[in-house]
Amino acid sequence: MITNLAGIDFDAPSHVVAPQLIGVTLLFNGVGGRIVEAEAYDREEPASHCYGGETPRNFAMFGPPAHSYVYQSHGIHWCLNFVCREPGHGAGVLLRALEPLDEAEGLALMRARRKLDDVRLLCSGPGRLCQALGVSRAHNNLPLDAPPFLLLPRDREVEVLAGPRIGISKAVDLPWRFVEADSRFLSKPLRRL
């Protein structure tokens, strides 16, 4: 089992992996972009899906690391997470936004899936990201080192900022939302603690 991808050790805690993912390129069936926003979650904090233990819905988040965890939010949108830590722990990183690659075929496919033209809005939010890439529950618990996934290391230095996560009411004091500084592709501006 490979747990080191794009220079990132997915055996590490999610709040260590998440900032390392900023600037990494994610391709899903050849379509995607640079990760510009991600949030860390761990079973030891109450905002995590793992906090109450393993269930049929969240089993993938309990390992192995470097696998996908896909869940449906509010019965509407799919959300993609990358599993971290050793099997059985329960931790992951929610992908919140991508900067789409400037590649005509991939952009056309994402625009068709999202039914909009504004490149800034194609993948700015976890539900939008999954819709643009074509991620669904069928892609739950898949290894990240094999198709349909491809992770490519950063191609340049990236300034990463941290702040509170979005849309949660518990563990709001943890600065586990990580973003690329000055990115115009974020789901929402970063709020500092």
Side-chain angles (χ1 to χ4, degrees):
M1 170 178 56
I2 296 174
T3 61
N4 193 310
L5 300 168
I8 300 169
D9 180 7
F10 284 87
D11 278 325
S14 57
H15 66 279
V16 173
V17 172
Q20 294 177 41
L21 283 168
I22 305 302
V24 168
T25 297
L26 164 64
L27 297 177
F28 184 82
N29 286 324
V31 176
R34 289 178 54 256
I35 300 169
V36 296
E37 181 181 354
E39 291 179 342
Y41 290 89
D42 187 275
R43 75 166 187 204
E44 296 172 355
E45 50 89 10
S48 174
H49 286 184
C50 299
Y51 186 68
E54 187 173 338
T55 68
R57 178 188 187 212
N58 71 10
F59 77 93
M61 199 130 150
F62 284 85
H67 277 63
S68 62
Y69 166 51
V70 179
Y71 70 91
Q72 197 168 35
S73 175
H74 306 292
I76 302 169
H77 302 290
W78 296 109
C79 297
L80 174 62
N81 297 257
F82 290 166
V83 177
C84 305
R85 299 272 316 240
E86 68 279 1
H89 179 82
V93 175
L94 171 65
L95 301 185
R96 289 199 54 88
L98 296 180
E99 177 181 339
L101 291 178
D102 188 13
E103 187 268 315
E105 185 176 318
L107 277 176
L109 185 54
M110 287 190 279
R111 284 180 167 135
R113 287 175 176 153
R114 294 269 301 117
K115 297 178 178 41
L116 60 84
D117 287 326
D118 187 346
V119 68
R120 195 190 68 73
L121 297 177
L122 287 177
C123 300
S124 65
R128 292 173 175 175
L129 183 155
C130 286
Q131 185 180 11
L133 299 184
V135 174
S136 71
R137 182 70 172 176
H139 305 108
N140 187 43
N141 201 32
L142 297 179
L144 301 179
D145 66 341
F149 294 100
L150 177 62
L151 291 175
L152 302 172
R154 291 177 179 167
D155 59 1
R156 63 181 180 263
E157 287 297 315
V158 175
E159 181 183 0
V160 178
L161 303 176
R165 295 173 292 184
I166 296 174
I168 59 171
S169 59
K170 299 174 183 171
V172 295
D173 56 327
L174 291 175
W176 283 7
R177 178 181 177 218
F178 301 93
V179 303
E180 181 177 329
D182 301 321
S183 174
R184 64 187 192 97
F185 296 90
L186 303 181
S187 63
K188 292 185 180 181
L190 182 69
R191 182 176 65 82
R192 299 294 182 111
L193 289 175

mmCIF file of all heavy atoms in Angstrom, residues 113-152:
data_model
loop_
_atom_site.group_PDB
_atom_site.id
_atom_site.type_symbol
_atom_site.label_atom_id
_atom_site.label_comp_id
_atom_site.label_asym_id
_atom_site.label_seq_id
_atom_site.Cartn_x
_atom_site.Cartn_y
_atom_site.Cartn_z
ATOM 1 N N ARG A 113 -20.659 20.023 -17.013
ATOM 2 C CA ARG A 113 -21.185 19.381 -15.807
ATOM 3 C C ARG A 113 -21.807 20.392 -14.845
ATOM 4 O O ARG A 113 -22.796 20.111 -14.191
ATOM 5 C CB ARG A 113 -20.070 18.623 -15.083
ATOM 6 C CG ARG A 113 -19.642 17.358 -15.785
ATOM 7 C CD ARG A 113 -18.463 16.726 -15.075
ATOM 8 N NE ARG A 113 -18.085 15.461 -15.685
ATOM 9 C CZ ARG A 113 -16.865 14.967 -15.646
ATOM 10 N NH1 ARG A 113 -15.897 15.612 -15.016
ATOM 11 N NH2 ARG A 113 -16.602 13.813 -16.227
ATOM 12 N N ARG A 114 -21.200 21.572 -14.746
ATOM 13 C CA ARG A 114 -21.686 22.598 -13.814
ATOM 14 C C ARG A 114 -22.694 23.544 -14.457
ATOM 15 O O ARG A 114 -23.314 24.343 -13.784
ATOM 16 C CB ARG A 114 -20.499 23.416 -13.275
ATOM 17 C CG ARG A 114 -19.548 22.635 -12.408
ATOM 18 C CD ARG A 114 -19.880 22.660 -10.945
ATOM 19 N NE ARG A 114 -19.900 24.012 -10.448
ATOM 20 C CZ ARG A 114 -20.980 24.614 -9.946
ATOM 21 N NH1 ARG A 114 -22.118 23.978 -9.839
ATOM 22 N NH2 ARG A 114 -20.920 25.867 -9.530
ATOM 23 N N LYS A 115 -22.805 23.493 -15.781
ATOM 24 C CA LYS A 115 -23.745 24.349 -16.522
ATOM 25 C C LYS A 115 -23.485 25.837 -16.252
ATOM 26 O O LYS A 115 -24.413 26.608 -16.012
ATOM 27 C CB LYS A 115 -25.187 23.982 -16.198
ATOM 28 C CG LYS A 115 -25.548 22.564 -16.610
ATOM 29 C CD LYS A 115 -26.961 22.230 -16.218
ATOM 30 C CE LYS A 115 -27.414 20.872 -16.635
ATOM 31 N NZ LYS A 115 -26.571 19.743 -16.530
ATOM 32 N N LEU A 116 -22.194 26.198 -16.287
ATOM 33 C CA LEU A 116 -21.815 27.610 -16.162
ATOM 34 C C LEU A 116 -20.459 27.841 -16.811
ATOM 35 O O LEU A 116 -19.709 26.908 -17.060
ATOM 36 C CB LEU A 116 -21.810 28.088 -14.704
ATOM 37 C CG LEU A 116 -20.888 27.420 -13.696
ATOM 38 C CD1 LEU A 116 -19.489 28.004 -13.745
ATOM 39 C CD2 LEU A 116 -21.447 27.640 -12.306
ATOM 40 N N ASP A 117 -20.161 29.104 -17.107
ATOM 41 C CA ASP A 117 -18.927 29.456 -17.803
ATOM 42 C C ASP A 117 -17.842 30.020 -16.896
ATOM 43 O O ASP A 117 -16.664 29.916 -17.210
ATOM 44 C CB ASP A 117 -19.208 30.484 -18.909
ATOM 45 C CG ASP A 117 -19.931 29.856 -20.088
ATOM 46 O OD1 ASP A 117 -19.662 28.678 -20.391
ATOM 47 O OD2 ASP A 117 -20.767 30.546 -20.700
ATOM 48 N N ASP A 118 -18.209 30.652 -15.788
ATOM 49 C CA ASP A 118 -17.249 31.335 -14.930
ATOM 50 C C ASP A 118 -16.264 30.338 -14.320
ATOM 51 O O ASP A 118 -16.614 29.571 -13.429
ATOM 52 C CB ASP A 118 -17.992 32.098 -13.829
ATOM 53 C CG ASP A 118 -17.087 32.982 -12.991
ATOM 54 O OD1 ASP A 118 -15.847 32.830 -13.062
ATOM 55 O OD2 ASP A 118 -17.623 33.837 -12.262
ATOM 56 N N VAL A 119 -15.027 30.357 -14.796
ATOM 57 C CA VAL A 119 -14.016 29.400 -14.349
ATOM 58 C C VAL A 119 -13.775 29.504 -12.847
ATOM 59 O O VAL A 119 -13.478 28.506 -12.188
ATOM 60 C CB VAL A 119 -12.707 29.555 -15.155
ATOM 61 C CG1 VAL A 119 -12.007 30.870 -14.847
ATOM 62 C CG2 VAL A 119 -11.785 28.388 -14.931
ATOM 63 N N ARG A 120 -13.944 30.681 -12.272
ATOM 64 C CA ARG A 120 -13.722 30.875 -10.843
ATOM 65 C C ARG A 120 -14.727 30.088 -10.003
ATOM 66 O O ARG A 120 -14.419 29.661 -8.887
ATOM 67 C CB ARG A 120 -13.804 32.362 -10.494
ATOM 68 C CG ARG A 120 -13.249 32.678 -9.125
ATOM 69 C CD ARG A 120 -13.554 34.086 -8.696
ATOM 70 N NE ARG A 120 -14.968 34.321 -8.441
ATOM 71 C CZ ARG A 120 -15.646 33.862 -7.391
ATOM 72 N NH1 ARG A 120 -15.056 33.109 -6.499
ATOM 73 N NH2 ARG A 120 -16.923 34.144 -7.234
ATOM 74 N N LEU A 121 -15.915 29.858 -10.519
ATOM 75 C CA LEU A 121 -16.963 29.175 -9.764
ATOM 76 C C LEU A 121 -17.060 27.671 -10.049
ATOM 77 O O LEU A 121 -17.862 26.981 -9.424
ATOM 78 C CB LEU A 121 -18.319 29.832 -10.040
ATOM 79 C CG LEU A 121 -18.450 31.288 -9.608
ATOM 80 C CD1 LEU A 121 -19.813 31.837 -10.001
ATOM 81 C CD2 LEU A 121 -18.220 31.433 -8.117
ATOM 82 N N LEU A 122 -16.272 27.171 -10.981
ATOM 83 C CA LEU A 122 -16.387 25.758 -11.343
ATOM 84 C C LEU A 122 -16.117 24.819 -10.167
ATOM 85 O O LEU A 122 -16.833 23.840 -9.979
ATOM 86 C CB LEU A 122 -15.422 25.418 -12.485
ATOM 87 C CG LEU A 122 -15.785 25.943 -13.858
ATOM 88 C CD1 LEU A 122 -14.690 25.584 -14.856
ATOM 89 C CD2 LEU A 122 -17.129 25.410 -14.316
ATOM 90 N N CYS A 123 -15.086 25.097 -9.392
ATOM 91 C CA CYS A 123 -14.657 24.185 -8.323
ATOM 92 C C CYS A 123 -14.487 24.902 -6.994
ATOM 93 O O CYS A 123 -13.688 24.485 -6.154
ATOM 94 C CB CYS A 123 -13.329 23.526 -8.705
ATOM 95 S SG CYS A 123 -13.376 22.555 -10.209
ATOM 96 N N SER A 124 -15.213 25.998 -6.770
ATOM 97 C CA SER A 124 -15.061 26.776 -5.530
ATOM 98 C C SER A 124 -16.117 26.369 -4.515
ATOM 99 O O SER A 124 -17.139 26.998 -4.357
ATOM 100 C CB SER A 124 -15.123 28.276 -5.814
ATOM 101 O OG SER A 124 -16.403 28.619 -6.293
ATOM 102 N N GLY A 125 -15.856 25.286 -3.843
ATOM 103 C CA GLY A 125 -16.748 24.694 -2.854
ATOM 104 C C GLY A 125 -16.714 23.192 -3.033
ATOM 105 O O GLY A 125 -16.550 22.708 -4.156
ATOM 106 N N PRO A 126 -16.850 22.419 -1.959
ATOM 107 C CA PRO A 126 -16.709 20.966 -2.077
ATOM 108 C C PRO A 126 -17.742 20.307 -2.987
ATOM 109 O O PRO A 126 -17.415 19.373 -3.724
ATOM 110 C CB PRO A 126 -16.828 20.462 -0.643
ATOM 111 C CG PRO A 126 -17.350 21.599 0.156
ATOM 112 C CD PRO A 126 -17.056 22.853 -0.584
ATOM 113 N N GLY A 127 -18.986 20.783 -2.966
ATOM 114 C CA GLY A 127 -20.006 20.219 -3.852
ATOM 115 C C GLY A 127 -19.757 20.580 -5.301
ATOM 116 O O GLY A 127 -19.900 19.747 -6.199
ATOM 117 N N ARG A 128 -19.400 21.814 -5.551
ATOM 118 C CA ARG A 128 -19.081 22.272 -6.916
ATOM 119 C C ARG A 128 -17.882 21.506 -7.470
ATOM 120 O O ARG A 128 -17.879 21.113 -8.641
ATOM 121 C CB ARG A 128 -18.769 23.765 -6.916
ATOM 122 C CG ARG A 128 -19.947 24.651 -6.617
ATOM 123 C CD ARG A 128 -19.489 26.084 -6.483
ATOM 124 N NE ARG A 128 -20.611 26.999 -6.299
ATOM 125 C CZ ARG A 128 -20.469 28.285 -6.060
ATOM 126 N NH1 ARG A 128 -19.253 28.824 -5.963
ATOM 127 N NH2 ARG A 128 -21.529 29.050 -5.911
ATOM 128 N N LEU A 129 -16.878 21.319 -6.626
ATOM 129 C CA LEU A 129 -15.672 20.596 -7.029
ATOM 130 C C LEU A 129 -16.037 19.188 -7.500
ATOM 131 O O LEU A 129 -15.625 18.755 -8.574
ATOM 132 C CB LEU A 129 -14.711 20.562 -5.843
ATOM 133 C CG LEU A 129 -13.345 19.928 -5.997
ATOM 134 C CD1 LEU A 129 -12.385 20.535 -4.981
ATOM 135 C CD2 LEU A 129 -13.368 18.435 -5.827
ATOM 136 N N CYS A 130 -16.823 18.473 -6.704
ATOM 137 C CA CYS A 130 -17.200 17.100 -7.072
ATOM 138 C C CYS A 130 -18.071 17.067 -8.318
ATOM 139 O O CYS A 130 -17.904 16.183 -9.171
ATOM 140 C CB CYS A 130 -17.884 16.408 -5.902
ATOM 141 S SG CYS A 130 -16.714 15.938 -4.607
ATOM 142 N N GLN A 131 -18.986 18.001 -8.446
ATOM 143 C CA GLN A 131 -19.826 18.044 -9.642
ATOM 144 C C GLN A 131 -18.980 18.293 -10.884
ATOM 145 O O GLN A 131 -19.148 17.636 -11.911
ATOM 146 C CB GLN A 131 -20.898 19.122 -9.502
ATOM 147 C CG GLN A 131 -21.871 19.137 -10.666
ATOM 148 C CD GLN A 131 -22.935 20.223 -10.514
ATOM 149 O OE1 GLN A 131 -22.856 21.097 -9.668
ATOM 150 N NE2 GLN A 131 -23.938 20.153 -11.371
ATOM 151 N N ALA A 132 -18.055 19.239 -10.806
ATOM 152 C CA ALA A 132 -17.204 19.565 -11.955
ATOM 153 C C ALA A 132 -16.315 18.391 -12.360
ATOM 154 O O ALA A 132 -16.099 18.154 -13.550
ATOM 155 C CB ALA A 132 -16.354 20.793 -11.644
ATOM 156 N N LEU A 133 -15.816 17.656 -11.373
ATOM 157 C CA LEU A 133 -14.929 16.527 -11.667
ATOM 158 C C LEU A 133 -15.687 15.245 -11.995
ATOM 159 O O LEU A 133 -15.113 14.320 -12.568
ATOM 160 C CB LEU A 133 -13.986 16.265 -10.494
ATOM 161 C CG LEU A 133 -13.024 17.387 -10.103
ATOM 162 C CD1 LEU A 133 -12.109 16.925 -8.988
ATOM 163 C CD2 LEU A 133 -12.228 17.871 -11.299
ATOM 164 N N GLY A 134 -16.944 15.163 -11.593
ATOM 165 C CA GLY A 134 -17.718 13.942 -11.812
ATOM 166 C C GLY A 134 -17.551 12.925 -10.693
ATOM 167 O O GLY A 134 -17.733 11.728 -10.898
ATOM 168 N N VAL A 135 -17.234 13.394 -9.485
ATOM 169 C CA VAL A 135 -17.057 12.509 -8.321
ATOM 170 C C VAL A 135 -18.417 12.196 -7.710
ATOM 171 O O VAL A 135 -19.254 13.088 -7.539
ATOM 172 C CB VAL A 135 -16.147 13.182 -7.260
ATOM 173 C CG1 VAL A 135 -16.082 12.336 -5.993
ATOM 174 C CG2 VAL A 135 -14.755 13.417 -7.817
ATOM 175 N N SER A 136 -18.621 10.922 -7.361
ATOM 176 C CA SER A 136 -19.863 10.494 -6.712
ATOM 177 C C SER A 136 -19.547 9.408 -5.681
ATOM 178 O O SER A 136 -18.395 9.023 -5.501
ATOM 179 C CB SER A 136 -20.850 9.948 -7.752
ATOM 180 O OG SER A 136 -20.390 8.692 -8.228
ATOM 181 N N ARG A 137 -20.570 8.900 -5.052
ATOM 182 C CA ARG A 137 -20.414 7.841 -4.047
ATOM 183 C C ARG A 137 -19.694 6.617 -4.617
ATOM 184 O O ARG A 137 -19.021 5.885 -3.901
ATOM 185 C CB ARG A 137 -21.792 7.446 -3.502
ATOM 186 C CG ARG A 137 -21.764 6.396 -2.426
ATOM 187 C CD ARG A 137 -21.194 6.931 -1.154
ATOM 188 N NE ARG A 137 -21.342 5.964 -0.072
ATOM 189 C CZ ARG A 137 -20.866 6.142 1.114
ATOM 190 N NH1 ARG A 137 -20.222 7.253 1.407
ATOM 191 N NH2 ARG A 137 -21.016 5.235 2.046
ATOM 192 N N ALA A 138 -19.804 6.405 -5.918
ATOM 193 C CA ALA A 138 -19.127 5.276 -6.565
ATOM 194 C C ALA A 138 -17.610 5.369 -6.429
ATOM 195 O O ALA A 138 -16.907 4.377 -6.630
ATOM 196 C CB ALA A 138 -19.510 5.217 -8.046
ATOM 197 N N HIS A 139 -17.107 6.550 -6.066
ATOM 198 C CA HIS A 139 -15.666 6.768 -5.959
ATOM 199 C C HIS A 139 -15.189 6.754 -4.504
ATOM 200 O O HIS A 139 -14.070 7.173 -4.218
ATOM 201 C CB HIS A 139 -15.300 8.078 -6.663
ATOM 202 C CG HIS A 139 -15.767 8.089 -8.073
ATOM 203 N ND1 HIS A 139 -16.828 8.864 -8.503
ATOM 204 C CD2 HIS A 139 -15.360 7.373 -9.141
ATOM 205 C CE1 HIS A 139 -17.036 8.626 -9.784
ATOM 206 N NE2 HIS A 139 -16.169 7.732 -10.194
ATOM 207 N N ASN A 140 -16.027 6.262 -3.603
ATOM 208 C CA ASN A 140 -15.672 6.156 -2.195
ATOM 209 C C ASN A 140 -14.702 5.003 -1.980
ATOM 210 O O ASN A 140 -14.823 3.951 -2.613
ATOM 211 C CB ASN A 140 -16.935 5.919 -1.354
ATOM 212 C CG ASN A 140 -16.669 5.975 0.133
ATOM 213 O OD1 ASN A 140 -15.947 6.852 0.612
ATOM 214 N ND2 ASN A 140 -17.241 5.037 0.871
ATOM 215 N N ASN A 141 -13.730 5.209 -1.072
ATOM 216 C CA ASN A 141 -12.805 4.163 -0.630
ATOM 217 C C ASN A 141 -11.909 3.640 -1.751
ATOM 218 O O ASN A 141 -11.559 2.471 -1.776
ATOM 219 C CB ASN A 141 -13.566 3.015 0.034
ATOM 220 C CG ASN A 141 -12.671 2.194 0.936
ATOM 221 O OD1 ASN A 141 -11.733 2.706 1.536
ATOM 222 N ND2 ASN A 141 -12.955 0.908 1.025
ATOM 223 N N LEU A 142 -11.519 4.515 -2.657
ATOM 224 C CA LEU A 142 -10.594 4.139 -3.733
ATOM 225 C C LEU A 142 -9.193 4.623 -3.390
ATOM 226 O O LEU A 142 -9.018 5.688 -2.784
ATOM 227 C CB LEU A 142 -11.031 4.757 -5.058
ATOM 228 C CG LEU A 142 -12.379 4.334 -5.621
ATOM 229 C CD1 LEU A 142 -12.661 5.058 -6.926
ATOM 230 C CD2 LEU A 142 -12.428 2.831 -5.816
ATOM 231 N N PRO A 143 -8.154 3.889 -3.813
ATOM 232 C CA PRO A 143 -6.780 4.344 -3.568
ATOM 233 C C PRO A 143 -6.462 5.575 -4.414
ATOM 234 O O PRO A 143 -6.857 5.666 -5.576
ATOM 235 C CB PRO A 143 -5.922 3.147 -3.981
ATOM 236 C CG PRO A 143 -6.774 2.372 -4.930
ATOM 237 C CD PRO A 143 -8.207 2.604 -4.511
ATOM 238 N N LEU A 144 -5.735 6.507 -3.809
ATOM 239 C CA LEU A 144 -5.385 7.749 -4.511
ATOM 240 C C LEU A 144 -4.198 7.578 -5.454
ATOM 241 O O LEU A 144 -3.896 8.490 -6.225
ATOM 242 C CB LEU A 144 -5.076 8.851 -3.495
ATOM 243 C CG LEU A 144 -6.191 9.208 -2.528
ATOM 244 C CD1 LEU A 144 -5.733 10.293 -1.564
ATOM 245 C CD2 LEU A 144 -7.449 9.644 -3.278
ATOM 246 N N ASP A 145 -3.543 6.411 -5.416
ATOM 247 C CA ASP A 145 -2.383 6.185 -6.269
ATOM 248 C C ASP A 145 -2.730 5.444 -7.557
ATOM 249 O O ASP A 145 -1.855 4.932 -8.245
ATOM 250 C CB ASP A 145 -1.288 5.438 -5.505
ATOM 251 C CG ASP A 145 -1.682 4.017 -5.120
ATOM 252 O OD1 ASP A 145 -2.894 3.707 -5.114
ATOM 253 O OD2 ASP A 145 -0.782 3.212 -4.810
ATOM 254 N N ALA A 146 -4.020 5.386 -7.893
ATOM 255 C CA ALA A 146 -4.469 4.675 -9.092
ATOM 256 C C ALA A 146 -5.636 5.426 -9.719
ATOM 257 O O ALA A 146 -6.335 6.177 -9.039
ATOM 258 C CB ALA A 146 -4.901 3.252 -8.721
ATOM 259 N N PRO A 147 -5.855 5.218 -11.032
ATOM 260 C CA PRO A 147 -7.004 5.871 -11.677
ATOM 261 C C PRO A 147 -8.293 5.511 -10.938
ATOM 262 O O PRO A 147 -8.411 4.403 -10.411
ATOM 263 C CB PRO A 147 -7.001 5.285 -13.090
ATOM 264 C CG PRO A 147 -5.574 4.887 -13.306
ATOM 265 C CD PRO A 147 -5.065 4.440 -11.961
ATOM 266 N N PRO A 148 -9.213 6.463 -10.846
ATOM 267 C CA PRO A 148 -9.314 7.709 -11.600
ATOM 268 C C PRO A 148 -8.510 8.874 -11.031
ATOM 269 O O PRO A 148 -8.523 9.962 -11.582
ATOM 270 C CB PRO A 148 -10.807 8.029 -11.539
ATOM 271 C CG PRO A 148 -11.234 7.488 -10.211
ATOM 272 C CD PRO A 148 -10.425 6.237 -10.021
ATOM 273 N N PHE A 149 -7.777 8.652 -9.903
ATOM 274 C CA PHE A 149 -7.045 9.735 -9.249
ATOM 275 C C PHE A 149 -5.610 9.834 -9.760
ATOM 276 O O PHE A 149 -4.972 8.826 -10.055
ATOM 277 C CB PHE A 149 -6.996 9.511 -7.730
ATOM 278 C CG PHE A 149 -8.328 9.591 -7.064
ATOM 279 C CD1 PHE A 149 -9.024 8.436 -6.733
ATOM 280 C CD2 PHE A 149 -8.902 10.809 -6.767
ATOM 281 C CE1 PHE A 149 -10.257 8.498 -6.109
ATOM 282 C CE2 PHE A 149 -10.147 10.881 -6.145
ATOM 283 C CZ PHE A 149 -10.824 9.728 -5.823
ATOM 284 N N LEU A 150 -5.110 11.061 -9.811
ATOM 285 C CA LEU A 150 -3.701 11.324 -10.043
ATOM 286 C C LEU A 150 -3.352 12.601 -9.285
ATOM 287 O O LEU A 150 -4.003 13.638 -9.471
ATOM 288 C CB LEU A 150 -3.397 11.507 -11.536
ATOM 289 C CG LEU A 150 -1.949 11.849 -11.878
ATOM 290 C CD1 LEU A 150 -0.994 10.735 -11.441
ATOM 291 C CD2 LEU A 150 -1.805 12.113 -13.376
ATOM 292 N N LEU A 151 -2.371 12.498 -8.397
ATOM 293 C CA LEU A 151 -1.885 13.650 -7.638
ATOM 294 C C LEU A 151 -0.481 13.987 -8.124
ATOM 295 O O LEU A 151 0.396 13.114 -8.161
ATOM 296 C CB LEU A 151 -1.843 13.344 -6.141
ATOM 297 C CG LEU A 151 -3.183 13.180 -5.443
ATOM 298 C CD1 LEU A 151 -2.990 12.750 -3.993
ATOM 299 C CD2 LEU A 151 -3.968 14.467 -5.497
ATOM 300 N N LEU A 152 -0.275 15.250 -8.485
ATOM 301 C CA LEU A 152 1.022 15.720 -8.964
ATOM 302 C C LEU A 152 1.575 16.737 -7.979
ATOM 303 O O LEU A 152 0.839 17.606 -7.495
ATOM 304 C CB LEU A 152 0.873 16.369 -10.349
ATOM 305 C CG LEU A 152 0.273 15.466 -11.430
ATOM 306 C CD1 LEU A 152 -0.005 16.262 -12.696
ATOM 307 C CD2 LEU A 152 1.212 14.306 -11.721
#
